[in-house]
């Protein structure tokens, strides 16, 4: 269990954040650049000292300004994967992964087997003798993760691990990363500026805005009850998991989720996929729509929440199956005369579904 | 006329390619470089043409030359080792720490680069001479430094240290700070990180600094003759021998000068054309370094 409550001033910027995360869980820290994500991560890693605050990991106190405790990075059981991977350019893949074991004076016999096991786990065993510059971005990233997890950290920090990868690599790696992180016994804090990545990876998401955690909760909480314009705009999306269930007519593809079926535009890959539908993609109507929308659901309006700050748009929480959140303009609410408790049709196009593998 | 016409056309075409201007620029650069190279090469060439290669070799056999050569190599190697041993920690400290009075320390270290060598030698004499600040204590212990081979080494260390520290410090400072962060989160102590990351990544700078410092030691004249004197076999290094030979034996001076010239040239050329892969930085992972 990680608990952190920290204050750090850097020039005019002040980070004031509180976080909690359970063992064996992934906490996604999402925010725009300059929101203090990396600063928070560096405080957790011990690369920065908080001006005020307390960080505990299980029963260990990593930092506590009240009692003057500040455990340095090298004495924390924390793994840190930097944005650009920061592999040692003069060392081979094997030596990179063995670095931390050598530094903590692990017997050389077990170094070999532990490094081999970590490289195999990340699927890069055959690259052991290569130098970092001979690796692709995706391979470098796996080596960086292997290097961190070989030390069996109790807290694993990942700073935008996918941002250095090109879009095509990113999609494949994201799925692998999610499966890998799910098997780790430690607390994982995953930093990203991409809402899609946040939704795909984290059960719990903390949103950082201008140095403050504006909201922290489950994916569902954030989606249905965004507490700020930023959260609403970037995280207040509809999110489902499903599996391809065969092609439909006209080249569409059917995806089956536990809550219901969707039609999507792109041919899906193998296995589970995450689906994201932005609330603005959803249109509401009194009658069953006759247009081109492939996905139509009927249900009652649960709640209508004016979106901050100026309330020009309204988030409509729908008791459809699956439950959906739509975001429409105030004038169209008035034109349709919608109120809570009424039955409406929610529709969105197959092309309005973003599929993440 | 045609050049002016071309210029007008280019100007008329707006901010597209301007071949006229590029040509002028190239011509100006070529002229300046030619002039400078001629100025640099002419004296060196005159030196080389003054004497037949065989004569240089013959002169090498003379005891005066041999002794000067042996002394120069010995003192330069010792002085360079001292500079490296003291210079690496100093360069690392300056590259990684902030402390009060740091600017003063930096100026002090750089000073010998701009100080007239005779002034440096005189200062050394004031410090380590028999009546000097440190010299008196040393004399009490029975140690006399001036006019000994040790004094030659001291003069060389004094003059050459900044030439090693500057590039080495830049090398340490140029190591990506994210690699140090990575090492810290991999539970490496600063000492472990120093030997496993900082030092290996700074090897190219250290090699460059070593070559510069060694060349400076080989060429040191002013501080040596002021502080260590000009005693054949004890303090008379190659540059001093050239100076002495100039007074009586011009051919000898030429032979010694050619030898020094070739040594310096070889040192720099060797550094520039180190075989690919000799430094790890020859890989694409290298950060550009000046």
């Amino acid at each position: 269990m990680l608990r952190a409550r920290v204050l750090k001033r850097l020039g005019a910027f002040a980070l004031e954040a509180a976080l909690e995360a359970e063992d064996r869980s992934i906490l996604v820290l999402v925010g725009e650049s300059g929101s203090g994500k990396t600063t928070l991560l560096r405080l957790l890693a011990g690369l920065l000292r908080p001006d005020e605050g307390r960080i505990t990991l299980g029963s260990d106190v990593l930092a506590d300004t009240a009692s003057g405790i500040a455990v340095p990075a090298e004495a924390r059981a924390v793994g840190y994967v930097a944005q650009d991977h920061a592999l040692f350019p003069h060392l081979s893949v094997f030596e990179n992964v063995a670095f931390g074991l050598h530094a903590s004076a692990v017997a050389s016999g077990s170094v070999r087997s532990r490094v081999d096991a970590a490289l195999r786990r990340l699927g890069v065993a055959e690259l052991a003798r290569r130098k970092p510059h001979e690796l692709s971005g995706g391979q470098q990233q796996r080596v960086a993760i292997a290097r961190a997890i070989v030390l069996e950290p109790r807290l694993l920090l990942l700073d935008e691990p996918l941002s250095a990868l090109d879009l095509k690599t990113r999609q494949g790696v994201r799925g692998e990363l999610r499966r890998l992180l799910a098997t780790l016994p430690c607390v994982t804090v995953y930093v990203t500026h991409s809402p899609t990545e946040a939704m795909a990876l984290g059960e719990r998401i903390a949103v950082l805005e201008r140095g403050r955690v504006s909201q922290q909760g489950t994916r569902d909480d954030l989606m249905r009850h965004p507490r700020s314009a930023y959260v609403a705009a970037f995280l207040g999306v509809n999110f489902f998991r499903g599996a391809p269930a065969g092609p439909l007519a006209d080249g569409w593809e059917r995806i089956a989720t536990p809550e219901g079926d969707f039609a999507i535009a792109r041919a899906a890959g193998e296995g589970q996929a995450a689906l994201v539908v932005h609330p603005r993609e959803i249109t509401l109507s009194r009658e069953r729509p006759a247009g081109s929308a492939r996905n139509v659901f009927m249900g009652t309006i649960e709640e209508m929440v004016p979106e901050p700050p100026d309330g020009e748009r309204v988030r409509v929480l729908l008791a459809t199956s699956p439950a959906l959140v739509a975001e429409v303009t105030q004038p169209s609410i008035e034109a349709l005369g919608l109120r809570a408790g009424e039955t409406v049709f929610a529709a969105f196009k197959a092309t309005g579904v973003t599929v993440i593998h | 006329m045609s050049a002016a016409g071309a210029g007008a056309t280019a100007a008329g075409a707006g901010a597209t390619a301007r071949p006229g201007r590029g040509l002028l620029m190239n011509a100006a650069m070529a002229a300046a470089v030619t002039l400078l190279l001629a100025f640099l090469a002419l004296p060196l060439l005159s030196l080389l043409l003054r004497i037949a290669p065989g004569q240089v070799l013959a002169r090498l056999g003379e005891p005066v030359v041999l002794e000067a050569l042996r002394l120069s190599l010995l003192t330069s190697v010792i002085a360079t080792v001292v500079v490296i041993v003291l210079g690496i920690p100093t360069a690392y400290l300056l590259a990684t720490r902030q402390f009060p009075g740091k600017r003063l320390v930096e100026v002090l270290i750089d000073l010998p680069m701009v100080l007239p060598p005779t002034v440096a030698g005189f200062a050394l004499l004031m410090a380590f001479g028999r009546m000097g600040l440190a010299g008196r204590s040393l004399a009490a212990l029975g140690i006399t430094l001036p006019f000994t081979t040790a004094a030659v080494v001291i003069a060389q260390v004094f003059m050459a240290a900044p030439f090693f520290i500057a590039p080495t410090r830049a090398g340490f400072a140029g190591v990506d700070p994210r690699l140090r962060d990575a090492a810290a989160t991999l539970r490496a102590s600063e000492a472990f990180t120093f030997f496993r990351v900082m030092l290996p990544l700074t090897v190219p700078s250290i090699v460059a600094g070593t070559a510069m410092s060694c060349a400076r030691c080989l060429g040191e004249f002013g501080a040596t003759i002021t502080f260590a004197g000009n005693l054949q076999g004890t303090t008379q290094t190659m540059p001093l021998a050239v100076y002495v030979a100039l007074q009586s034996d011009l051919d000898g001076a030429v032979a010694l000068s050619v030898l020094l010239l070739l040594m310096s040239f070889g040192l720099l050329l060797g550094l520039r054309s180190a075989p690919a892969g000799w430094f790890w930085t020859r890989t694409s992972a290298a950060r550009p370094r000046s």
Side-chain angles (χ1 to χ4, degrees), chain B residues 68-166:
Chain B
L69 182 60
R70 182 191 62 85
L71 197 65
S72 261
L73 291 177
L74 179 76
T75 53
S76 295
V77 167
I78 293 174
T80 303
V81 169
V82 172
V83 164
I84 291 171
V85 169
L86 299 179
I88 286 179
T90 308
Y92 182 73
L93 178 93
L94 292 175
T96 59
R97 299 285 199 280
Q98 298 301 327
F99 53 88
K102 183 176 178 183
R103 190 158 293 180
L104 200 68
V105 172
E106 289 170 338
V107 169
L108 210 58
I109 287 172
D110 285 345
L111 198 59
M113 283 209 263
V114 292
L115 199 67
T118 41
V119 174
F122 189 52
L124 284 170
L125 201 58
M126 291 296 103
F128 298 106
R130 264 182 305 168
M131 290 296 126
L133 271 178
R136 253 176 291 186
S137 325
L138 288 172
L141 296 169
I143 302 169
T144 333
L145 286 176
F147 312 111
T148 63
T149 307
V152 177
V153 174
I154 289 172
Q156 288 177 347
V157 168
F158 192 90
M159 298 308 295
F163 289 87
F164 176 80
I165 290 170

Side-chain angles (χ1 to χ4, degrees), chain A residues 306-329:
Chain A
E307 192 188 312
D310 48 13
E312 244 179 58
R313 302 183 75 89
V314 179
R315 294 175 64 79
V316 183
L317 277 55
L318 299 162
T320 44
S321 178
L324 292 170
V325 176
E327 193 188 303
V328 289
T329 59

Side-chain angles (χ1 to χ4, degrees), chain A residues 42 45 47 73-80 84 86-91 95-96 99-104 131 133 147-148 151-154, chain B residues 175-190 192-201 280-287:
Chain A
R42 290 173 65 81
L47 296 168
E74 60 266 31
R76 294 185 182 188
V78 172
Y80 179 65
D84 59 349
L87 295 177
F88 302 118
H90 60 302
L91 300 179
E95 290 166 327
N96 261 283
F99 186 92
L101 296 170
H102 286 308
S104 34
K131 287 282 180 71
H133 75 269
R147 186 174 69 168
L151 295 172
E152 293 164 9
R154 292 173 54 205
Chain B
V175 174
D176 192 333
R178 285 169 294 197
L179 295 181
R180 283 166 67 196
D181 287 347
T185 61
L186 293 169
R187 299 171 208 180
S189 64
E190 187 174 11
F192 187 89
T193 306
F194 175 79
F195 287 109
R196 232 19 210 137
V197 180
M198 299 301 282
L199 211 49
L201 292 182
W280 69 268
T281 32
R282 302 263 163 182
T283 65
S284 60
R287 290 153 53 76

Side-chain angles (χ1 to χ4, degrees), chain A residues 60-263:
Chain A
D60 294 348
V61 180
L62 299 184
D64 186 7
T65 49
S67 54
I69 297 172
V71 179
E74 60 266 31
R76 294 185 182 188
V78 172
Y80 179 65
V81 179
Q83 200 166 345
D84 59 349
H85 318 319
L87 295 177
F88 302 118
H90 60 302
L91 300 179
S92 70
V93 165
F94 184 93
E95 290 166 327
N96 261 283
V97 178
F99 186 92
L101 296 170
H102 286 308
S104 34
V106 169
S108 57
S110 68
V111 168
R112 166 125 247 136
S113 60
R114 283 174 72 175
V115 172
D116 286 343
L119 289 176
R120 270 199 307 276
R121 189 165 186 183
L122 272 295
V124 286
E126 74 284 358
L127 305 174
R129 288 174 162 198
R130 301 259 188 97
K131 287 282 180 71
H133 75 269
E134 297 169 311
L135 305 179
S136 69
Q139 290 168 334
Q140 285 187 19
Q141 190 233 31
R142 283 167 219 221
V143 173
I145 293 174
R147 186 174 69 168
I149 67 169
V150 76
L151 295 172
E152 293 164 9
R154 292 173 54 205
L155 172 61
L156 179 63
L157 308 169
L158 301 160
D159 192 358
E160 308 220 8
L162 302 182
S163 65
L165 309 180
D166 59 81
L167 195 68
K168 216 175 141 195
T169 319
R170 202 181 298 170
Q171 290 179 338
V173 173
R174 185 162 48 204
E176 285 173 34
L177 197 56
R178 182 161 47 80
R179 286 188 285 279
L180 171 81
L181 295 179
T183 65
L184 295 178
C186 59
V187 180
T188 303
V189 178
Y190 185 109
V191 159
T192 179
H193 67 267
S194 151
T196 332
E197 220 169 288
M199 297 303 268
L201 282 162
E203 289 90 57
R204 287 187 67 80
I205 297 169
V207 183
L208 208 56
E209 285 181 73
R210 292 181 300 279
R212 274 159 216 271
V213 176
S214 57
Q215 191 167 0
Q216 185 173 183
T218 63
R219 195 159 36 207
D220 247 26
D221 289 344
L222 266 68
M223 191 185 91
R224 294 185 77 83
H225 304 286
R227 264 192 245 145
S228 75
Y230 174 80
V231 177
F234 290 98
L235 291 176
V237 296
N238 297 288
F239 183 91
F240 309 97
R241 283 192 190 287
L248 293 169
D250 314 333
W252 305 122
E253 180 98 19
R254 198 156 64 89
I255 289 251
T257 77
E259 296 95 347
D261 290 3
F262 292 94

